[in-house]
Amino acid sequence: MKSFYIETFGCQMNAHDSEKVVGTLVERGYTQVERPEDAELVLYNTCSIRDKAEQKVFHRLQQFKRDTGKGKVFGVLGCVAQQEGEKIFERAPHVSLVAGSASYTKLPEMLIQLETGDRRVTGLSLDTDQTFDTPFTRRDNPHRAYITIIEGCDKSCAYCVVPFTRGPERSRTSESVMREAATLAEAGYTEIQLLGQNVNSYRDPSSAGWDFANLLARTGEVPGIRSVRFTTSHPRDFVSDIVDAIDRNEALCNHVHLPVQSGSTSVLKKMQRQYTRDDYLRRIEWMKSAKRDIAITTDIIVGFPGETECDFQETMRLIDEIEYESMFIFKYSKRPNTPALQYEDHIPEEEKTRRLMVLQERQRAIQLRRNAAYVGKTEHVHVEGYNMATAQWIGRTSQHKTLNFIDPDLAAPAEGRTLVGTYLDVLVTRAGPNSLAGERAQ
Ligand code: SAH
Ligand code: SF4
Ligand code: F3S
């Protein structure tokens, strides 16, 4: 059993976990293949944030009828694995491995168990103070690298499964994070993205005792690192030192994703978010009064139990007031084990859809207006790729905007020549609601 296939669902934490899992497998002599049909070991790294996400893995597992799945070993990793545990063996008897992210440090041992023919291997304990740091991480992108700084979550937002699927918060030492950043810079990476479910509650467990703002500032000073991003910030723990750090160092991207979830203080209270609308607006004010033009993005949940039309209108007013650069809007989804299950006043699905669409439409108009203001300006981008269908290079601004562009001198990647991975100036000539377009500045 030496070839494997892995498919990853969910957030960037999961994407990066998969990079570490792949590295661990390759280190043990496994080869990664692109199609599940060709693999002896088939792994799904799963997400459980909403019901739809959870269902995906069961669909995948059912896609393999007895004959095509014969001789293969199946493993379910990640948040659904942690949440459902051994029940997965009942629902999908051809699965042999079920392990949550808090157990990945034991992955080498679990692999040995599988290799020696064990057909019921589990890693489900959340009782850990360890983080999964491995020197074998196989990164998918040669220019941009993820670094996990904190795992787990100690908040208890009433709708959210993460505290149950990822366990308690564990921060890495600042020394280990800085060592990884320096190693990445030496290997040619120029962009780093610091990851955690709540990066703001980062606390250096070593005697250095750095907080997140300090860690962020120092990462931006690593020679060779030109952009540093971070996700996700919980508003309750977001401090003005973070804004000051962004103001002081251009390498720190001027983009903050600060999920508000709702504009109504009473909904926020039921959500157990631990901040009010006014607390949140104070944080926005810090960013709006910064020297740099900080792009603010957010997540919103519509149709949380008990959300009245009046609460919803407060969210509408909030987005008009803040004018976010972009946002993700989700319909509330009931999740196992979560405190919100106790609420009875659930909103009908059609009403959730209506609110989602109303919000989407309003936000689309805001984005169109905001993006139009960039036309005629020159923006500095990190080139992330090339889109063959549109024959444009794909650039990303410090504010995390997509800026597609043409370069008359290099219309497409040619033998040995590419713009991917470089930083350059682009003149914005057009704006849509979700992206900008332009041409390379001469
Ligand atoms: N740790 C991050 C985000 C975690 S999940 C944070 O605290 O902000 C990403 C987003 O999914 C959340 O911001 C929230 O908007 C959404 N989400 C989480 N649970 C959900 C649920 N049960 N139903 C709908 N959306 C949900
Ligand atoms: Fe979930 Fe809240 Fe933790 Fe974010 S902070 S992962 S929404 S419990
Ligand atoms: Fe999903 Fe788990 Fe991330 S539930 S969003 S993969 S933390």
Side-chain angles (χ1 to χ4, degrees), residues 44 100 252 323:
Y44 295 111
L252 306 184
E323 296 209 302

Side-chain angles (χ1 to χ4, degrees), residues 10-11 14 46-49 79 162 166 197:
C11 61
N14 247 21
T46 61
C47 173
S48 178
I49 201 76
C79 291
V162 174
R166 294 211 167 238
Q197 284 302 338

Side-chain angles (χ1 to χ4, degrees), residues 250-288:
E250 289 262 331
L252 306 184
C253 291
N254 49 346
H255 168 221
V256 173
H257 184 64
L258 198 64
V260 66
Q261 315 299 358
S262 168
S264 149
T265 294
S266 73
V267 172
L268 288 170
K269 190 157 190 231
K270 271 182 98 181
M271 284 179 167
Q272 297 169 202
R273 286 290 282 180
Q274 307 179 54
Y275 55 85
T276 63
R277 177 191 175 96
D278 285 346
D279 294 335
Y280 185 85
L281 285 171
R282 211 167 307 125
R283 282 142 182 83
I284 297 295
E285 200 34 55
W286 295 339
M287 288 188 266
K288 295 215 165 175

Side-chain angles (χ1 to χ4, degrees), residues 49 152-164 166 169 196-198 201 232-235 237 259 261 271-274 299 301:
I49 201 76
C153 183
D154 281 352
K155 293 275 185 287
S156 50
C157 304
Y159 50 80
C160 185
V161 287
V162 174
F164 308 97
R166 294 211 167 238
E169 275 176 1
Q197 284 302 338
N198 177 7
S201 49
T232 300
S233 284
H234 189 291
D237 305 323
Q261 315 299 358
M271 284 179 167
Q272 297 169 202
R273 286 290 282 180
Q274 307 179 54
D299 294 344
I301 297 176

